[in-house]
Amino acid sequence: MTKFLLSLHVLAAIIAVGPVTVAASMFPPSARKALAEPDSERAVSAVRLLHRICRVYGGVGIAVPVLGFATALSMGVLKDAWLIVSMLLTALAAMVLLALVLPRQEEILEGLGGTTVGSGTGAAAGTGTVTVTVTGRAATARLAMFTGVFNLLWATVTILMIVRPGSTTGA
């Protein structure tokens, strides 16, 4: 049963996390291109597709820690330091994706569409709302940085899963 769970865990990581890391990495340069060519429906469509991939596969990615936990339970390694660190880094990667990467992708997409990104109270406007349009290199640069952090976290988890420092499982 352990080998079956481990196989599912690895497959889920490849199938779910791989597309998110690639699509998230491709998003900032694609968004810069779309911002430079606002009349190009193809460029804007590419950015929309990359965001959809990140969103959908990010949701499917919940299978990775679930299967990982089941695998660790069957292997009896739940208390090993390398696994605890891996679980914490996985949770941190999920938070980076949900709190920093996906919202900024959405803001950039809304900026490409010419719609408002957010609203808040605005005394100067007198209407109670302030519209914010996200455009430019700074927004895509920040997004690229957060995406890099997300990818680095996953790379670290992958290395810990392979090296397993202090593990007694023989690897």
Side-chain angles (χ1 to χ4, degrees), residues 94-171:
M95 288 189 287
V96 168
L97 181 68
L98 293 173
L100 300 173
V101 174
L102 292 176
R104 279 168 178 74
Q105 286 182 351
E106 290 167 6
E107 289 173 356
I108 290 170
L109 275 171
E110 289 176 6
L112 286 172
T115 61
T116 60
V117 172
S119 62
T121 58
T127 62
T129 62
V130 175
T131 59
V132 180
T133 303
V134 175
T135 59
R137 195 160 188 79
T140 58
R142 274 190 301 278
L143 175 59
M145 178 189 66
F146 293 133
T147 299
V149 169
F150 172 76
N151 291 343
L152 183 61
L153 288 166
W154 274 116
T156 305
V157 169
T158 301
I159 291 166
L160 283 171
M161 291 289 134
I162 294 167
V163 174
R164 302 187 291 179
S167 172
T168 59
T169 60

Side-chain angles (χ1 to χ4, degrees), residues 65-109:
V66 169
L67 289 166
F69 185 81
T71 302
L73 187 62
S74 74
M75 292 173 71
V77 295
L78 276 177
K79 294 182 181 178
D80 286 8
W82 64 271
L83 185 68
I84 293 168
V85 170
S86 293
M87 290 190 299
L88 291 172
L89 292 176
T90 298
L92 185 57
M95 288 189 287
V96 168
L97 181 68
L98 293 173
L100 300 173
V101 174
L102 292 176
R104 279 168 178 74
Q105 286 182 351
E106 290 167 6
E107 289 173 356
I108 290 170
L109 275 171

Side-chain angles (χ1 to χ4, degrees), residues 17-106:
V17 178
V20 175
T21 59
V22 172
S25 295
M26 292 174 63
F27 189 97
S30 296
R32 280 191 287 274
K33 181 179 179 185
L35 288 166
E37 303 170 11
D39 294 333
S40 172
E41 182 57 37
R42 184 175 183 177
V44 174
S45 293
V47 174
R48 282 190 195 115
L49 175 64
L50 291 169
H51 174 64
R52 191 174 318 121
I53 290 169
C54 291
R55 214 179 55 242
V56 170
Y57 282 92
V60 172
I62 192 69
V64 176
V66 169
L67 289 166
F69 185 81
T71 302
L73 187 62
S74 74
M75 292 173 71
V77 295
L78 276 177
K79 294 182 181 178
D80 286 8
W82 64 271
L83 185 68
I84 293 168
V85 170
S86 293
M87 290 190 299
L88 291 172
L89 292 176
T90 298
L92 185 57
M95 288 189 287
V96 168
L97 181 68
L98 293 173
L100 300 173
V101 174
L102 292 176
R104 279 168 178 74
Q105 286 182 351
E106 290 167 6

